[in-house]
Amino acid sequence: MGNEKKIREVFERGEGVLRLIPTFVPRAWGKAGRRLRLHPDDYYALGINRGEIKERWLSSINFAYSNRGHEEDEGLSYVQTGTGTKGKILLRDFVGLLGSEIIGEELMEKYGTMPVFSKLYDYKTPLFFHVHLTFETAANVGRLAKPESYYYPPQLNTYEGDFPYSFLGFDPSVTKEQVRECLEKFETDDNRITELSRAYRLKPGTGWFIPAGIIHAPGSFVTYEPQWNSDVRATFDNVTAGEVNTFDKLAQFAPNDKKHDIDYLMTMLDWEKNVDPNFRETYARPPVTAKTGDGYVEKWISYGNEYFSAKELTIEPGKSVVISDSACYGCILLQGHGEFGVYKDAESAQLLRFGQASADEYFVSEAAAKKGIRIANHSSVEPMVILKHFGPNNPDAPIKSSLSILGSQ
């Protein structure tokens, strides 16, 4: 690899911590909420045909596919190696070269890479009612399933958007036959399939875990989403907030001989999970205190699953702390300014231009995480708030998967 010397130099200079460059992704559907702190002139930076920018991908080695064209490096995170974006190198290349030195032996041996990333997505309108294929149905088209987790950061949700409710799963009374009837009229009439679901009002500072196979239509909050390295879905509603979803959105990840087989498309659903009578108790994720100390509090905001976890770290004004973790992680600073490891100018973004470097996003190697990162809040009035996502190998993440975990605090 031609960048080998530079990669090792940057890794050692950062003492195992890399500063990343913002990665923005446009989407052709929905309407942007414009809460990603991107300059208002830049929401169509990749062209009108590509749609508005609605997502920022964090610590990503996963390619963002679009059927309206895409850049060769779309969705991929870059490491800042010098001043600004000059000499930038893909995070994927760092992981490919350094391997266990950066992500640890367990992830390298089991997955050969960092198997998760996170994103911030921002839609003013509700998203379509869709399901991410189960591992079985995804394997039929050579893909992986996409379990995901949601957290609604207060710092980015200063307004609620048009529809601050999410449809999640089906009402327990719903039958497979009712869902099948909706799919049968996908190309003839508004199938109104969300009438079979339940809508949950969104609340800043809380979230959900959504396994692969559960149907969902996220509401109009900015959402922090740790997820598996995949993006396979089937859209089950054909009209969303007045926007038509064509049949190919339903069948795009079905085998060619199954695209019009309604019975096969139904197998993309994990039926028992969708009609769980205790859905909220099973999948809601209120924050859970991980640890506290002089001047800081850290909370689990994604937990209770085998794929990933995430924390929210808050440091009080004027305080400095050393925080250790048991696994590598990607993170973003949402509020405040100060120091993050060797980086003495860490700061949350206020207004970014497309393609501009920032000082708010980092990737921390396993060794550096275990040793501990010194973080200092230089503000005398504002807290410093950092969101951190981990892969499936953080042994400290709570394993309980319901609201009952709050009773143990």
Side-chain angles (χ1 to χ4, degrees):
M1 184 181 295
N3 288 323
E4 179 176 351
K5 181 178 180 181
K6 188 66 174 179
I7 286 173
R8 292 196 174 277
E9 174 193 328
V10 171
F11 186 69
E12 292 172 7
R13 187 173 70 226
E15 298 180 2
V17 180
L18 306 173
R19 176 180 279 176
L20 305 183
I21 296 168
T23 298
F24 290 104
V25 175
R27 294 300 193 189
W29 55 82
K31 187 174 183 179
R34 301 198 171 211
R35 293 164 288 186
L36 293 179
R37 298 173 177 173
L38 181 65
H39 193 285
D41 289 347
D42 291 354
Y43 275 89
Y44 289 100
L46 290 171
I48 293 293
N49 181 60
R50 298 297 313 283
E52 293 173 287
I53 287 172
K54 303 180 183 80
E55 299 179 4
R56 178 174 172 182
W57 288 27
L58 309 169
S59 301
S60 169
I61 61 168
N62 196 56
F63 179 73
Y65 171 78
S66 170
N67 59 7
R68 289 199 180 187
H70 44 260
E71 304 297 311
E72 292 182 356
D73 57 356
E74 192 140 320
L76 300 177
S77 293
Y78 279 92
V79 175
Q80 186 177 0
T81 66
T83 302
T85 62
K86 185 178 181 181
K88 64 182 183 180
I89 298 174
L90 287 170
L91 175 62
R92 184 171 63 182
D93 291 347
F94 274 77
V95 174
L97 176 67
L98 298 173
S100 59
E101 290 182 68
I102 186 168
I103 63 173
E105 291 184 4
E106 182 178 351
L107 291 182
M108 198 64 197
E109 290 178 3
K110 189 173 292 188
Y111 304 102
T113 189
M114 184 67 178
V116 304
F117 70 102
S118 193
K119 67 174 65 162
L120 291 166
Y121 67 76
D122 174 28
Y123 291 80
K124 186 175 185 289
T125 48
L127 277 169
F128 36 73
F129 200 43
H130 64 285
V131 63
H132 296 295
L133 282 60
T134 64
F135 280 94
E136 292 76 18
T137 53
N140 291 338
V141 288
R143 300 294 188 102
L144 295 172
K146 183 196 168 190
E148 59 194 26
S149 188
Y150 307 149
Y151 178 69
Y152 311 118
Q155 293 80 9
L156 298 178
N157 284 294
T158 54
Y159 79 94
E160 294 185 329
D162 290 351
F163 193 79
Y165 304 85
S166 286
F167 289 105
L168 304 174
F170 293 116
D171 186 89
S173 66
V174 169
T175 66
K176 290 183 180 180
E177 288 71 27
Q178 289 174 297
V179 176
R180 196 181 194 285
E181 287 174 4
C182 291
L183 296 187
E184 286 175 341
K185 62 179 182 180
F186 199 97
E187 296 182 280
T188 60
D189 192 14
D190 183 350
N191 67 14
R192 304 176 69 91
I193 192 171
T194 51
E195 293 179 1
L196 305 181
S197 184
R198 288 178 171 180
Y200 298 84
R201 185 173 180 178
L202 306 183
K203 180 181 179 181
T206 64
W208 297 84
F209 168 57
I210 303 297
I214 287 185
I215 198 162
H216 53 286
S220 55
F221 268 27
V222 177
T223 302
Y224 174 70
E225 181 189 281
Q227 64 157 88
W228 207 244
N229 279 350
S230 178
D231 194 10
V232 288
R233 65 178 178 273
T235 301
F236 274 48
D237 66 336
N238 56 356
V239 180
T240 306
E243 185 174 359
V244 174
N245 306 313
T246 54
F247 185 82
D248 63 292
K249 302 298 191 299
L250 169 63
Q252 62 182 326
F253 291 108
N256 289 334
D257 62 341
K258 299 291 187 182
K259 289 189 182 297
H260 286 84
D261 185 337
I262 302 300
D263 291 327
Y264 178 82
L265 297 174
M266 289 285 295
T267 66
M268 296 176 177
L269 298 166
D270 187 320
W271 187 255
E272 296 307 317
K273 287 185 172 67
N274 277 287
V275 295
D276 183 347
N278 300 310
F279 192 94
R280 179 177 176 272
E281 181 180 2
T282 304
Y283 298 112
R285 292 294 181 269
V288 174
T289 300
K291 52 188 174 182
T292 61
D294 181 21
Y296 80 95
V297 60
E298 196 166 43
K299 298 178 181 180
W300 290 104
I301 55 175
S302 175
Y303 54 89
N305 70 81
E306 61 185 292
Y307 306 105
F308 41 69
S309 58
K311 290 181 182 179
E312 177 188 70
L313 171 64
T314 302
I315 301 171
E316 295 176 6
K319 295 289 187 177
S320 64
V321 298
V322 176
I323 301 293
S324 60
D325 286 285
S326 300
C328 65
Y329 61 89
C331 66
I332 185 167
L333 175 58
L334 286 187
Q335 184 177 358
H337 69 281
E339 302 177 31
F340 190 88
V342 302
Y343 300 93
K344 306 304 181 184
D345 58 347
E347 60 184 15
S348 58
Q350 298 306 307
L351 191 64
L352 293 169
R353 297 307 303 250
F354 182 81
Q356 172 188 335
S358 69
D360 64 344
E361 186 181 349
Y362 301 88
F363 189 87
V364 179
S365 68
E366 183 177 279
K370 289 180 175 180
K371 181 180 179 181
I373 304 297
R374 181 182 178 275
I375 309 172
N377 183 355
H378 287 178
S379 175
S380 61
V381 291
E382 281 194 72
M384 177 184 279
V385 180
I386 300 171
L387 303 184
K388 310 191 287 186
H389 71 265
F390 305 87
N393 64 323
N394 190 329
D396 304 324
I399 60 174
K400 293 183 180 180
S401 59
S402 73
L403 297 179
S404 62
I405 192 171
L406 295 178
S408 65
Q409 293 193 79

